Amino acid sequence: MDTVASTGKLNKEEIFDLMKQFITEVIGEEFVEEMDITTESSFTKDLEMDSIEIVSFSEKIKAHFGDQIDFTGWLSSMDLDQLINLNLGMIINYIYECQ
Amino acid sequence: MPVIKVNNRDVHIQELNKGAAETVLLVHGMFSNLSVYYFNIAPILAEHFHVVMYDLKSHGMSERTLHGYDLNSMTDDLNGLMEALNLNTVHLAGYSFGGLIALKMALRFPDKVKKLVVIEAPDPKDEKARGIIDDYSREFLEHYVENFTDTTKVKMGKRQMERNHRMYEYLFYQTSIKSDMIAEKDFLDEPEVALLNKDTLLLYGADSNCLETGKELNEKIKTSELTPVPGDHNIPIQEPVLIANMINTFFRN
């Protein structure tokens, strides 16, 4: 649900589950079923998310965590190579550190 | 995902720094979406401005529509968006086809546009600019993607290929986009373009096929300045920080 969480810090497993839920909402269940989403999954290569889908994903993070995480700002500080190599584990670590 | 109703249709918008005194409105190009601004250009502009981005009809996450891809309809949409957001005047910037929309907006609704930035707007009478529409096929898309991957380094996978294919199929074969664009072929030759009385920054890639169009526009518009940027038609992707800083300086001065 897109609500700002008010309770305590999530552990990495909980963040992983939440990210999986957001990815499913963005790209659709039928595609997620065919994929094995792991912390190694890259956004562009493995999950095949395009930029408008990453916008949706960013909006979900913003809606859930509010101002405590500047996910878009973090993404915009990356160059193209970093973005291409971005995987789920890196996002989980970033969110975990920000909380 | 913020979606608002404009002229009875769902329009996906994104806003940054809502409290700022002045607004910058950004228009993306054809077959693209607001993400061309979202990650790099918009955050820089949002340091000083309220920034509004939106997905054009049938693009990104806005509602699909069969008709109304001519510049009058596209600027009716933009005007409707400004009304829905209670924006009286804005600084306006548009890229590629969005640059034509921005220019048309400044001509039709001069009181609503403060300053204008036109990035890589093509001349619609140039068959090459329109040509991709006549040539479209699945093979075309695959070829396009092969070339496209040279600059983005990301190879499009099966799901993205399908997604893009569906969007092109819809726009090319079901909507009026083709005929609406052909009907606009003389837009830049219309005398009203030369009457534009608005500070205008023209940003074109130094190696772009559209640079000539930039030069011609600069000749016509007395209040314009043309600045070549390193790169080709894809300068917002190639030089996002430079583009954002140039727009920022132009709107702030």
Side-chain angles (χ1 to χ4, degrees):
Chain A
M1 264 204 327
D2 289 355
T3 47
V4 176
S6 55
T7 46
K9 196 168 164 165
L10 300 179
N11 65 38
K12 290 192 179 179
E13 206 171 313
E14 289 167 329
I15 299 172
F16 177 71
D17 288 340
L18 188 64
M19 293 305 109
K20 240 168 113 166
Q21 180 200 322
F22 290 168
I23 291 163
T24 308
E25 286 168 8
V26 170
I27 70 177
E29 213 154 328
E30 71 269 33
F31 295 109
V32 172
E33 275 171 8
E34 296 172 8
M35 290 172 181
D36 181 23
I37 299 179
T38 70
T39 54
E40 300 294 312
S41 300
S42 92
F43 264 53
T44 51
K45 266 206 304 278
D46 301 325
L47 303 179
E48 282 192 42
M49 285 172 81
D50 70 4
S51 46
I52 195 72
E53 289 171 332
I54 298 176
V55 171
S56 293
F57 180 79
S58 306
E59 288 298 304
K60 286 182 187 294
I61 290 180
K62 213 186 272 181
H64 188 91
F65 292 99
D67 290 338
Q68 59 172 321
I69 290 170
D70 180 16
F71 186 68
T72 313
W74 182 60
L75 285 185
S76 66
S77 70
M78 294 183 190
D79 64 29
L80 207 54
D81 287 321
Q82 288 172 306
L83 272 179
I84 289 164
N85 293 320
L86 181 69
N87 68 31
L88 202 49
M90 291 155 74
I91 293 172
I92 292 166
N93 283 337
Y94 173 72
I95 292 175
Y96 185 77
E97 297 299 326
C98 284
Q99 285 183 110
Chain B
M1 178 177 97
V3 172
I4 60 167
K5 283 274 181 206
V6 177
N7 300 334
N8 281 320
R9 276 194 306 272
D10 286 338
V11 176
H12 170 223
I13 64 162
Q14 291 289 341
E15 288 181 89
L16 299 173
N17 193 12
K18 278 190 202 178
E22 291 188 293
T23 299
V24 172
L25 213 158
L26 301 170
V27 191
H28 70 76
M30 197 156 285
F31 315 123
S32 174
N33 54 60
L34 59 76
S35 69
V36 73
Y37 299 117
Y38 182 89
F39 293 104
N40 296 97
I41 295 174
I44 291 173
L45 294 172
E47 287 168 17
H48 298 101
F49 296 103
H50 168 218
V51 177
V52 178
M53 296 158 271
Y54 72 110
D55 282 334
L56 299 174
K57 59 176 64 153
S58 304
H59 290 72
M61 293 186 278
S62 286
E63 192 176 328
R64 285 180 162 197
T65 317
L66 288 171
H67 303 289
Y69 295 90
D70 57 284
L71 292 172
N72 272 329
S73 302
M74 298 309 274
T75 46
D76 283 343
D77 292 346
L78 181 47
N79 189 42
L81 174 75
M82 284 181 66
E83 281 173 5
L85 296 175
N86 288 318
L87 299 169
N88 295 325
T89 57
V90 295
H91 293 301
L92 187 61
Y95 168 50
S96 194
F97 180 61
L100 296 176
I101 297 172
L103 178 58
K104 184 75 175 184
M105 187 72 189
L107 294 168
R108 280 187 77 200
F109 303 99
D111 297 342
K112 296 200 162 186
V113 179
K114 283 190 265 194
K115 285 185 179 181
L116 179 67
V117 174
V118 174
I119 309 162
E120 277 289 324
D123 187 339
K125 81 167 171 290
D126 176 2
E127 304 229 338
K128 262 184 280 165
R130 286 200 334 259
I132 66 164
I133 287 195
D134 296 325
D135 294 342
Y136 178 73
S137 67
R138 180 61 190 248
E139 289 70 37
F140 165 79
L141 178 64
E142 280 162 10
H143 174 74
Y144 175 80
V145 166
E146 285 301 318
N147 291 311
F148 174 75
T149 50
D150 288 346
T151 45
T152 66
K153 301 181 191 171
V154 184
K155 188 140 180 77
M156 210 184 277
K158 191 162 157 275
R159 185 176 71 83
Q160 280 307 333
M161 192 71 95
E162 283 304 320
R163 233 166 86 83
N164 276 278
H165 182 57
R166 277 200 303 275
M167 180 187 74
Y168 280 75
E169 283 271 328
Y170 176 75
L171 280 167
F172 286 139
Y173 299 122
Q174 294 181 44
T175 75
S176 61
I177 200 165
K178 217 164 156 175
S179 52
D180 288 348
M181 275 184 77
I182 290 168
E184 295 290 355
K185 66 178 173 17
D186 297 322
F187 170 54
L188 294 185
D189 298 322
E190 284 167 16
E192 57 173 2
V193 174
L195 298 175
L196 181 69
N197 183 22
K198 197 76 53 192
D199 285 345
T200 302
L201 176 63
L202 304 165
L203 296 176
Y204 279 78
D207 301 320
S208 168
N209 294 334
C210 296
L211 180 60
E212 278 309 309
T213 303
K215 288 178 183 168
E216 284 165 26
L217 276 175
N218 197 35
E219 285 284 310
K220 277 183 195 160
I221 304 169
K222 287 175 192 66
T223 48
S224 71
E225 51 181 294
L226 171 68
T227 309
V229 174
D232 54 30
H233 186 64
N234 297 305
I235 46 174
I237 316 278
Q238 291 159 341
E239 296 286 351
V241 176
L242 179 62
I243 297 271
N245 288 333
M246 289 167 112
I247 297 174
N248 195 26
T249 306
F250 177 70
F251 285 157
R252 288 183 76 195
N253 287 340

